Amino acid sequence: RSRQVLGTLVFVAFTLLVAIAAHLRLLATGRANGLPLDSDGWVRMIRVRELWNGGGWYAHGPPPLFAPEGLDVHGTRPLDVLIIVPAWIATLFGADGPEALQWSGSLVCPVLHALTALAAGWAARRAWPDLRYAAYYAVLVLFTYEVLSAYSAIGRADHHVLVVLAIVLGLGAAAKAAWLEAPPRAAYGAGAAFGFGIWVSPEALLAALPALGAFGVGWLLSARGRRWALQGLRMATGLFVMVALAIVVARP
């Protein structure tokens, strides 16, 4: 047991060191500067400030833009909440609210990037349980994904990193569920993760649909088709519940 805990701590330390090195490289090459680097980031932070200052939860866009109607921004709230909560906690310890909000918005994506790397290692262990260094390979591969690194740069309040985190968790749980003796929670968890990704952005469907389709193919072609169908049904149920929750929370 202690050996397993030590192995986990070593893996977490390895992942954090690689994440820090990757983001220092982005700073050194000028691809991160602590401020929103594109129009999406600026609009996100304007909307977050509106909510911070008492704006409506269901307000779609910042009123100061595209007056008098206001710019209709089709973004969802999970990332906004992830920016606001750390800033609010910081204010409990005496931090200035607007400054804490700016820091939180600037650092949320690098933190999510590191969490995605940890999730990739976990997912690799689910998919290849007999490959000793699968988790370490997965972390290194993730940090060679330049598009994700660019979206994760310090100063980019961007939802794509959160979508990828949900996808990685969903794929890892789906890989676990593909071992048909796995407990039902793996399939339910995969569906819930994919559903949360869809809540953040429908782009998550690009991973959720093939994963569900794979269980459908197993149902059609495998001698144990009923087990594949049952796991697929559980995954679809988890996805449905999460999307339903999203609709209740996000829509008036």
Side-chain angles (χ1 to χ4, degrees):
R1 179 71 178 180
S2 59
R3 193 174 178 182
Q4 185 179 7
V5 171
L6 179 61
T8 300
L9 292 176
V10 170
F11 170 68
V12 171
F14 170 80
T15 303
L16 294 179
L17 286 173
V18 173
I20 291 169
H23 284 280
L24 287 176
R25 181 179 67 88
L26 290 175
L27 284 171
T29 55
R31 296 170 64 186
N33 60 14
L35 295 171
L37 301 179
D38 62 351
S39 57
D40 285 353
W42 282 108
V43 171
R44 169 76 64 178
M45 289 308 298
I46 290 172
R47 196 175 74 153
V48 168
R49 290 191 191 98
E50 291 283 339
L51 185 60
W52 175 273
N53 292 324
W57 174 261
Y58 299 116
H60 284 286
L65 299 180
F66 199 62
E69 295 87 358
L71 180 66
D72 190 19
V73 180
H74 298 286
T76 53
R77 288 296 191 188
L79 183 60
D80 297 355
V81 172
L82 288 178
I83 293 171
I84 286 174
V85 168
W88 174 75
I89 293 173
T91 61
L92 299 180
F93 294 91
D96 175 70
E99 185 176 354
L101 199 65
Q102 185 63 43
W103 273 104
S104 184
S106 294
L107 295 176
V108 65
C109 284
V111 172
L112 289 173
H113 198 196
L115 291 175
T116 302
L118 291 172
W122 169 82
R125 290 292 300 273
R126 304 284 82 73
W128 300 287
D130 298 327
L131 186 58
R132 183 176 180 183
Y133 296 110
Y136 291 88
Y137 296 148
V139 169
L140 293 175
V141 168
L142 184 87
F143 282 106
T144 63
Y145 185 20
E146 286 293 322
V147 173
L148 182 61
S149 295
Y151 277 123
S152 306
I154 295 172
R156 286 197 74 157
D158 195 285
H159 70 274
H160 288 92
V161 196
L162 188 56
V163 173
V164 174
L165 174 58
I167 287 173
V168 170
L169 290 172
L171 291 175
K176 180 70 173 179
W179 300 93
L180 298 181
E181 293 76 16
R185 65 175 179 272
Y188 287 124
F194 287 134
F196 179 74
I198 294 168
W199 182 350
V200 179
S201 172
E203 292 159 308
L205 285 166
L206 294 173
L209 291 181
L212 280 167
F215 284 82
V217 171
W219 167 59
L220 289 172
L221 301 182
S222 172
R224 303 180 66 186
R226 182 177 177 83
R227 294 296 301 274
W228 281 97
L230 184 58
Q231 291 290 71
L233 179 62
R234 289 166 177 158
M235 192 185 303
T237 301
L239 190 152
F240 171 80
V241 170
M242 184 60 72
V243 172
L245 176 66
I247 293 172
V248 171
V249 172
R251 304 302 302 173

